[in-house]
Amino acid sequence: MNETYVEFIERCETLAGGIVQNRNAIMLLLTKYETHESAKDEIERSLEALRGVSDELNTIHDPEYNLTLATFFPLNLPLYSLVLFGVIPSIFSSNIYIRPPEIERAVLDEFIEILNLADLFPQIKLKNVPRHVFVSLYAAESDAIVFTGKYENAIAIHKKCPLSVMLYNGSGVNPIILFDNADVELAAKKTVEMRCFNSGQDCAGPDAIFIPSKLKDEFLSMIEVHLKKIVVGQTANPEVKIGPTMKKSYIDELQIWLGQHSDDIYLKGEIDNKHHLVYPTIISKTLQSNESLDFHEFFAPIFYVIDYKSEDDLLHVAELDSFRDRAMYVSVFGESNKVESQLNFVNILKNKIVNDVEKGNEEYGGYGKKANFVLYGEEKIVKPILVNRDLQFMLARK
């Protein structure tokens, strides 16, 4: 490992030390708009990623680059995003321009000051400008773009920046599937854990939960038991697991969707528009043979439970474009060779959820054409993303 790599790893270790030293101040900043549970998880994932940089760089053997990188942050997890999409790629970048969502801007400004980021990683520069300005002034002039968000927005930006490599991180359906031999108690516990993580506002949350009809009553009863223990309220309270929804538009969209599925509401949670709070809600419906499903991405603790009579019905779901296009992960509880053998286009997690396996120094995502991809000109490679590896792979071909 050359001297540049060694110096970079030392700076990452210094940053990790700064996060530990300033943990209380960082917690106060994060919990302005996310729960204590989510903030603690985010801090630990950030530390793990910084401490894992050495192992990640050991897998990279291509020549060094001096890149300009433009990155669009997601709406959640600002510290972790700063580490993954700012700090770690800076080993190959002379300039990294970051456009954070408006809700994160003040928090990220304070992170930069508290953690002395300007001295440790001076190439990282926050640009608090409208999206169209950022695209024209920074993204269009960059070697590469890292975009996390809606597929349609990614494609629109790429059209305006055709000479830049784009690394796209989207969202997946990430369903949870129970089979007849599932450990129902474990499945219920992990389902609540993933669906309620970060107040239900995480792109890795399951958009649907499939259960055998014979396990439906038992599963729903166990979900209810877990949900009754959950505290909903403002994130200043450490006991709160479900805090305010980040954008009012998410609540507006959800209310329309719930109105369309009112006949299937099993447990109706309150929607407090004044305080932007959505209480856990369970939708329960039975899958009909050959039914077409349109998976809705929830930014709230919504449990969309679909019971099925036959595994053949699940095989039909696996063929739907609405599922395949956003294929990333599937959490399975129990076993079914018949179904699992047909899920060769997703990452199958056995008795686990995405949060159990996601690590900042490893690739993330799946093989849906609207889920994750690397895009350069007309060439599109659908695959899980690891920023440094994929930057080098594509730029070496330019």
PDB file of all heavy atoms in Angstrom, residues 158-174:
ATOM      1  N   HIS A 158     -28.693  12.535 -15.714  1.00  0.00           N
ATOM      2  CA  HIS A 158     -27.732  11.934 -16.645  1.00  0.00           C
ATOM      3  C   HIS A 158     -27.853  12.535 -18.044  1.00  0.00           C
ATOM      4  O   HIS A 158     -26.843  12.753 -18.732  1.00  0.00           O
ATOM      5  CB  HIS A 158     -27.933  10.421 -16.709  1.00  0.00           C
ATOM      6  CG  HIS A 158     -27.062   9.756 -17.729  1.00  0.00           C
ATOM      7  ND1 HIS A 158     -25.687   9.686 -17.608  1.00  0.00           N
ATOM      8  CD2 HIS A 158     -27.364   9.157 -18.916  1.00  0.00           C
ATOM      9  CE1 HIS A 158     -25.180   9.065 -18.657  1.00  0.00           C
ATOM     10  NE2 HIS A 158     -26.176   8.741 -19.466  1.00  0.00           N
ATOM     11  N   LYS A 159     -29.062  12.817 -18.480  1.00  0.00           N
ATOM     12  CA  LYS A 159     -29.269  13.402 -19.805  1.00  0.00           C
ATOM     13  C   LYS A 159     -28.610  14.775 -19.919  1.00  0.00           C
ATOM     14  O   LYS A 159     -28.166  15.178 -21.007  1.00  0.00           O
ATOM     15  CB  LYS A 159     -30.759  13.510 -20.112  1.00  0.00           C
ATOM     16  CG  LYS A 159     -31.424  12.158 -20.382  1.00  0.00           C
ATOM     17  CD  LYS A 159     -32.909  12.321 -20.686  1.00  0.00           C
ATOM     18  CE  LYS A 159     -33.547  10.976 -20.992  1.00  0.00           C
ATOM     19  NZ  LYS A 159     -35.009  11.103 -21.255  1.00  0.00           N
ATOM     20  N   LYS A 160     -28.527  15.470 -18.788  1.00  0.00           N
ATOM     21  CA  LYS A 160     -27.897  16.790 -18.786  1.00  0.00           C
ATOM     22  C   LYS A 160     -26.382  16.704 -18.559  1.00  0.00           C
ATOM     23  O   LYS A 160     -25.679  17.702 -18.735  1.00  0.00           O
ATOM     24  CB  LYS A 160     -28.528  17.664 -17.705  1.00  0.00           C
ATOM     25  CG  LYS A 160     -30.003  17.967 -17.967  1.00  0.00           C
ATOM     26  CD  LYS A 160     -30.607  18.795 -16.844  1.00  0.00           C
ATOM     27  CE  LYS A 160     -32.086  19.084 -17.118  1.00  0.00           C
ATOM     28  NZ  LYS A 160     -32.725  19.851 -16.027  1.00  0.00           N
ATOM     29  N   CYS A 161     -25.913  15.512 -18.171  1.00  0.00           N
ATOM     30  CA  CYS A 161     -24.490  15.321 -17.884  1.00  0.00           C
ATOM     31  C   CYS A 161     -24.000  14.045 -18.575  1.00  0.00           C
ATOM     32  O   CYS A 161     -23.503  13.117 -17.915  1.00  0.00           O
ATOM     33  CB  CYS A 161     -24.256  15.206 -16.379  1.00  0.00           C
ATOM     34  SG  CYS A 161     -25.017  16.492 -15.381  1.00  0.00           S
ATOM     35  N   PRO A 162     -24.124  13.948 -19.885  1.00  0.00           N
ATOM     36  CA  PRO A 162     -23.850  12.687 -20.588  1.00  0.00           C
ATOM     37  C   PRO A 162     -22.392  12.246 -20.562  1.00  0.00           C
ATOM     38  O   PRO A 162     -22.099  11.073 -20.813  1.00  0.00           O
ATOM     39  CB  PRO A 162     -24.311  12.982 -22.022  1.00  0.00           C
ATOM     40  CG  PRO A 162     -24.175  14.464 -22.161  1.00  0.00           C
ATOM     41  CD  PRO A 162     -24.533  15.025 -20.813  1.00  0.00           C
ATOM     42  N   LEU A 163     -21.475  13.165 -20.260  1.00  0.00           N
ATOM     43  CA  LEU A 163     -20.054  12.806 -20.263  1.00  0.00           C
ATOM     44  C   LEU A 163     -19.576  12.331 -18.895  1.00  0.00           C
ATOM     45  O   LEU A 163     -18.415  11.941 -18.745  1.00  0.00           O
ATOM     46  CB  LEU A 163     -19.217  14.007 -20.712  1.00  0.00           C
ATOM     47  CG  LEU A 163     -19.524  14.530 -22.118  1.00  0.00           C
ATOM     48  CD1 LEU A 163     -18.616  15.700 -22.452  1.00  0.00           C
ATOM     49  CD2 LEU A 163     -19.390  13.428 -23.162  1.00  0.00           C
ATOM     50  N   SER A 164     -20.449  12.363 -17.906  1.00  0.00           N
ATOM     51  CA  SER A 164     -20.087  11.934 -16.556  1.00  0.00           C
ATOM     52  C   SER A 164     -20.546  10.504 -16.308  1.00  0.00           C
ATOM     53  O   SER A 164     -21.643  10.116 -16.718  1.00  0.00           O
ATOM     54  CB  SER A 164     -20.731  12.847 -15.501  1.00  0.00           C
ATOM     55  OG  SER A 164     -20.362  14.192 -15.693  1.00  0.00           O
ATOM     56  N   VAL A 165     -19.719   9.736 -15.635  1.00  0.00           N
ATOM     57  CA  VAL A 165     -20.139   8.421 -15.152  1.00  0.00           C
ATOM     58  C   VAL A 165     -21.134   8.641 -14.020  1.00  0.00           C
ATOM     59  O   VAL A 165     -20.916   9.494 -13.146  1.00  0.00           O
ATOM     60  CB  VAL A 165     -18.936   7.614 -14.633  1.00  0.00           C
ATOM     61  CG1 VAL A 165     -19.397   6.330 -13.957  1.00  0.00           C
ATOM     62  CG2 VAL A 165     -17.982   7.290 -15.762  1.00  0.00           C
ATOM     63  N   MET A 166     -22.237   7.906 -14.024  1.00  0.00           N
ATOM     64  CA  MET A 166     -23.204   8.005 -12.925  1.00  0.00           C
ATOM     65  C   MET A 166     -23.273   6.691 -12.162  1.00  0.00           C
ATOM     66  O   MET A 166     -23.440   5.620 -12.765  1.00  0.00           O
ATOM     67  CB  MET A 166     -24.597   8.376 -13.428  1.00  0.00           C
ATOM     68  CG  MET A 166     -25.653   8.328 -12.309  1.00  0.00           C
ATOM     69  SD  MET A 166     -27.284   8.929 -12.801  1.00  0.00           S
ATOM     70  CE  MET A 166     -27.042  10.698 -12.636  1.00  0.00           C
ATOM     71  N   LEU A 167     -23.137   6.778 -10.850  1.00  0.00           N
ATOM     72  CA  LEU A 167     -23.386   5.650  -9.961  1.00  0.00           C
ATOM     73  C   LEU A 167     -24.716   5.907  -9.276  1.00  0.00           C
ATOM     74  O   LEU A 167     -24.871   6.914  -8.578  1.00  0.00           O
ATOM     75  CB  LEU A 167     -22.284   5.513  -8.907  1.00  0.00           C
ATOM     76  CG  LEU A 167     -20.831   5.480  -9.406  1.00  0.00           C
ATOM     77  CD1 LEU A 167     -19.891   5.211  -8.239  1.00  0.00           C
ATOM     78  CD2 LEU A 167     -20.647   4.448 -10.498  1.00  0.00           C
ATOM     79  N   TYR A 168     -25.669   5.016  -9.498  1.00  0.00           N
ATOM     80  CA  TYR A 168     -27.024   5.242  -9.001  1.00  0.00           C
ATOM     81  C   TYR A 168     -27.381   4.269  -7.891  1.00  0.00           C
ATOM     82  O   TYR A 168     -27.264   3.051  -8.044  1.00  0.00           O
ATOM     83  CB  TYR A 168     -28.032   5.111 -10.135  1.00  0.00           C
ATOM     84  CG  TYR A 168     -29.477   5.172  -9.664  1.00  0.00           C
ATOM     85  CD1 TYR A 168     -29.975   6.333  -9.072  1.00  0.00           C
ATOM     86  CD2 TYR A 168     -30.322   4.081  -9.799  1.00  0.00           C
ATOM     87  CE1 TYR A 168     -31.286   6.398  -8.627  1.00  0.00           C
ATOM     88  CE2 TYR A 168     -31.635   4.139  -9.369  1.00  0.00           C
ATOM     89  CZ  TYR A 168     -32.114   5.294  -8.775  1.00  0.00           C
ATOM     90  OH  TYR A 168     -33.400   5.356  -8.330  1.00  0.00           O
ATOM     91  N   ASN A 169     -27.811   4.826  -6.759  1.00  0.00           N
ATOM     92  CA  ASN A 169     -28.367   4.056  -5.652  1.00  0.00           C
ATOM     93  C   ASN A 169     -29.842   4.398  -5.528  1.00  0.00           C
ATOM     94  O   ASN A 169     -30.192   5.528  -5.177  1.00  0.00           O
ATOM     95  CB  ASN A 169     -27.665   4.411  -4.328  1.00  0.00           C
ATOM     96  CG  ASN A 169     -26.222   3.974  -4.310  1.00  0.00           C
ATOM     97  OD1 ASN A 169     -25.916   2.796  -4.292  1.00  0.00           O
ATOM     98  ND2 ASN A 169     -25.310   4.944  -4.334  1.00  0.00           N
ATOM     99  N   GLY A 170     -30.701   3.444  -5.820  1.00  0.00           N
ATOM    100  CA  GLY A 170     -32.131   3.684  -5.741  1.00  0.00           C
ATOM    101  C   GLY A 170     -32.755   2.972  -4.566  1.00  0.00           C
ATOM    102  O   GLY A 170     -32.134   2.789  -3.523  1.00  0.00           O
ATOM    103  N   SER A 171     -33.973   2.569  -4.736  1.00  0.00           N
ATOM    104  CA  SER A 171     -34.681   1.856  -3.677  1.00  0.00           C
ATOM    105  C   SER A 171     -35.210   0.541  -4.216  1.00  0.00           C
ATOM    106  O   SER A 171     -35.452   0.401  -5.420  1.00  0.00           O
ATOM    107  CB  SER A 171     -35.850   2.699  -3.141  1.00  0.00           C
ATOM    108  OG  SER A 171     -36.810   2.896  -4.169  1.00  0.00           O
ATOM    109  N   GLY A 172     -35.367  -0.427  -3.339  1.00  0.00           N
ATOM    110  CA  GLY A 172     -35.864  -1.725  -3.747  1.00  0.00           C
ATOM    111  C   GLY A 172     -37.199  -2.040  -3.108  1.00  0.00           C
ATOM    112  O   GLY A 172     -37.599  -1.407  -2.127  1.00  0.00           O
ATOM    113  N   VAL A 173     -37.891  -3.019  -3.669  1.00  0.00           N
ATOM    114  CA  VAL A 173     -39.106  -3.522  -3.024  1.00  0.00           C
ATOM    115  C   VAL A 173     -38.737  -4.192  -1.701  1.00  0.00           C
ATOM    116  O   VAL A 173     -39.446  -4.057  -0.701  1.00  0.00           O
ATOM    117  CB  VAL A 173     -39.836  -4.515  -3.954  1.00  0.00           C
ATOM    118  CG1 VAL A 173     -41.066  -5.089  -3.263  1.00  0.00           C
ATOM    119  CG2 VAL A 173     -40.230  -3.828  -5.250  1.00  0.00           C
ATOM    120  N   ASN A 174     -37.604  -4.907  -1.696  1.00  0.00           N
ATOM    121  CA  ASN A 174     -37.065  -5.539  -0.489  1.00  0.00           C
ATOM    122  C   ASN A 174     -38.133  -6.270   0.322  1.00  0.00           C
ATOM    123  O   ASN A 174     -38.256  -6.050   1.540  1.00  0.00           O
ATOM    124  CB  ASN A 174     -36.368  -4.495   0.397  1.00  0.00           C
ATOM    125  CG  ASN A 174     -35.207  -3.824  -0.302  1.00  0.00           C
ATOM    126  OD1 ASN A 174     -34.510  -4.438  -1.099  1.00  0.00           O
ATOM    127  ND2 ASN A 174     -35.004  -2.551  -0.022  1.00  0.00           N
TER     128      ASN A 174
END
